Amino acid sequence: MLDPILVTGATGFLGYYASERWAARGHEVRGLTRSRHAPLPPGVDRYVVGDLADRDGIRNAVKGVRTVVHLAARVHVTEEPAPDPRSEFRRVNVDGTAVLLEEARAARASGFVFASSVKAMGEFNHEPLTEATTPAPVDPYGISKLEAEKLVAAASGDSLRSAVFRFPLMYGPRMTANMLRLFRAVDRGFPLPFGSVKNRRSFLYVENALFAMDRILESQPASHAVYLISDGEDVSTPRLVREIAWAIGKGPRLWDVPEGVLRALGWAGDALGRFLPVPITSSVMQTLTESLFVDSTFVWRQLESRPPVSFKDGLLATAHWFNGTERTEVDR
């Protein structure tokens, strides 16, 4: 049995893949979850904690572990249930990370991989973001991620080496959230008013994320490093829609609507959202119309590699899964 690895968020999109991969390679993998029933890959030991503030549960989970891969987080949701979102993001993403770091150091773990987000740097940009760009997060999620990054940096040293990955929007089989919603919209032939949008967005196929984490775990990294990572190909929203349509075998339905009108629709959605759940908000429109792209040259140079899966091939693999699962659900 290879060195033990603790994976937080092991039932999530990336966490499930990571746990499955390392267990299959012979690692003792401990999956930290909040539920006793959410599925875990074969060979992964379940460790249940109410949340990351459960210090006794965390201490038990990290005992004897060599590497901690921290993927669990509170993420942005369309319908926010918390009366004070900023406080709740901080409690989970910052305070929870602090407890995990303290217990990892006490257990003499030697490696800590932290999944952050490109939102720790801001909401949009006009020049490629690099590791040298000064972060300027805007929303509570991005702010909490940057605070957690600082905790990881402060806890790192010769005894605990760490790597922070600032992930853009990730996609792949078994994905959820925004990218899945876009696949469904294209598949169902909804007219999408983004034909005239001229933006740049970075994306990351799940296999490319796993490959990068693998290489970091296999190597002897510096005491602390921050990486911006992507598939290495930035695309506009209309091109993304066309690529998805091509991958799933449908025709794209793109309308040319001025961006000013799209922003107005977002503001109208914000107003209606005070009374009714609505899918279109200013935040959603910003994601679909603004640019948010990174220069991932540094991480791929450090790994002495290139992304093993291209953006187009990643979409094809995702479409193959999507066509299978979505058709099955329709047939039922």
Side-chain angles (χ1 to χ4, degrees):
M1 187 71 73
L2 299 176
D3 293 335
I5 300 175
L6 174 68
V7 180
T8 74
T11 60
F13 173 48
L14 180 58
Y16 190 96
Y17 276 112
S19 301
E20 181 180 56
R21 188 185 191 95
W22 295 325
R25 291 183 178 178
H27 285 277
E28 176 195 337
V29 179
R30 302 177 187 180
L32 197 70
T33 74
R34 291 185 299 168
S35 168
R36 296 184 181 277
H37 307 294
L40 280 173
V44 176
D45 298 324
R46 186 188 303 272
Y47 284 72
V48 180
V49 295
D51 59 34
L52 292 173
D54 179 359
R55 190 175 290 273
D56 290 340
I58 297 294
R59 184 174 297 144
N60 182 51
V62 301
K63 186 177 181 180
V65 161
R66 179 173 176 80
T67 303
V68 175
V69 180
H70 184 22
L71 308 179
R74 186 179 197 274
V75 298
H76 173 76
V77 293
T78 303
E79 298 179 44
E80 176 57 68
D84 183 5
R86 187 179 296 271
S87 175
E88 191 64 13
F89 274 112
R90 197 175 195 287
R91 185 187 71 80
V92 177
N93 295 347
V94 182
D95 298 343
T97 300
V99 171
L100 190 61
L101 282 165
E102 289 166 10
E103 295 303 326
R105 285 174 61 88
R108 300 185 182 279
S110 59
F112 195 97
V113 176
F114 179 59
S116 186
S117 167
V118 69
K119 285 182 173 286
M121 305 194 75
E123 289 294 322
F124 59 89
N125 59 298
H126 300 293
E127 298 293 334
L129 296 173
T130 73
E131 288 77 5
T133 303
T134 301
V138 175
D139 69 351
Y141 172 65
I143 291 168
S144 69
K145 278 296 190 180
L146 184 60
E147 286 189 55
E149 284 187 23
K150 292 176 180 178
L151 292 179
V152 175
S156 303
D158 291 338
S159 61
L160 183 68
R161 297 176 179 271
S162 65
V164 170
F165 286 98
R166 290 175 177 161
F167 292 127
L169 194 153
M170 199 176 298
Y171 66 99
R174 299 200 298 255
M175 66 187 177
T176 59
N178 288 340
M179 188 66 99
L180 179 57
R181 283 192 281 271
L182 186 56
F183 264 71
R184 285 176 172 165
V186 174
D187 181 56
R188 293 168 186 174
F190 294 156
L192 299 171
F194 308 115
S196 61
V197 171
K198 294 178 175 59
N199 62 346
R200 291 176 65 180
R201 307 288 297 194
S202 292
F203 299 94
L204 181 64
Y205 183 55
V206 64
E207 178 62 30
N208 291 336
L210 292 168
F211 175 85
M213 290 196 297
D214 264 349
R215 295 291 289 266
I216 288 295
L217 292 177
E218 291 168 1
S219 67
Q220 293 295 323
S223 60
H224 178 69
V226 177
Y227 301 111
L228 286 167
I229 184 168
S230 76
D231 290 339
E233 184 175 356
D234 306 324
V235 299
S236 66
T237 296
R239 182 185 163 195
L240 175 62
V241 169
R242 293 187 186 99
E243 294 281 7
I244 290 172
W246 167 78
I248 64 177
K250 292 292 181 75
R253 297 189 65 191
L254 281 164
W255 290 4
D256 291 342
V257 176
E259 291 190 31
V261 174
L262 296 179
R263 285 193 291 271
L265 288 172
W267 295 331
D270 290 344
L272 286 173
R274 300 172 188 170
F275 312 102
L276 298 168
V278 293
I280 299 299
T281 64
S282 58
S283 176
V284 170
M285 282 301 183
Q286 185 179 59
T287 298
L288 291 167
T289 60
E290 298 283 2
S291 293
L292 188 60
F293 59 106
V294 305
D295 181 346
S296 58
T297 303
F298 176 69
V299 66
W300 294 115
R301 185 185 298 133
Q302 289 290 109
L303 300 177
E304 299 180 342
S305 182
R306 300 174 61 185
V309 182
S310 70
F311 174 69
K312 187 178 287 287
D313 286 344
L315 278 184
L316 275 173
T318 306
H320 180 74
W321 162 82
F322 176 84
N323 282 336
T325 57
E326 294 293 306
R327 299 300 173 273
T328 301
E329 289 176 5
V330 169
D331 290 344
R332 287 176 186 165

